[in-house]
Amino acid sequence: MTKEQPTTLDHLTTEGRNPASSAIDALSAIEIVRLMNDEDARVAAAVAAVAESIAQAVEVIAERLSQGGRLIYIGAGTS
């Protein structure tokens, strides 16, 4: 019997700290708002870069849901 290796998420950029917000606690309110807005603005380009993969996932999920399947998703906070 072989022992399973633990799954690591180190390679996923979504699971790391955002260097842009590492000192968010030292910023003023307006600087925090601008930083968050700047980071949010990057989302559209990131989604566009993988739009085909997202669409394929949506199709698979919709098919499974139509057959009585379930979708369970978990999220965490943002910077």
Side-chain angles (χ1 to χ4, degrees):
M1 182 183 297
T2 61
K3 193 173 191 177
E4 253 186 70
Q5 294 295 322
T7 302
T8 62
L9 304 177
D10 297 342
H11 64 285
L12 299 176
T13 58
T14 58
E15 303 307 310
R17 293 186 184 268
N18 182 347
S21 61
S22 63
I24 198 167
D25 58 319
L27 301 178
S28 68
I30 189 63
E31 290 170 324
I32 292 170
V33 171
R34 287 182 176 142
L35 172 62
M36 291 175 67
N37 190 51
D38 289 346
E39 292 301 304
D40 288 346
R42 298 173 56 182
V43 172
V47 170
V50 293
E52 288 184 22
S53 295
I54 293 171
Q56 289 173 354
V58 168
E59 290 172 357
V60 169
I61 292 165
E63 176 64 25
R64 301 256 170 90
L65 289 172
S66 74
Q67 297 174 3
R70 298 183 303 162
L71 172 64
I72 300 170
Y73 60 96
I74 300 169
T78 63
S79 60

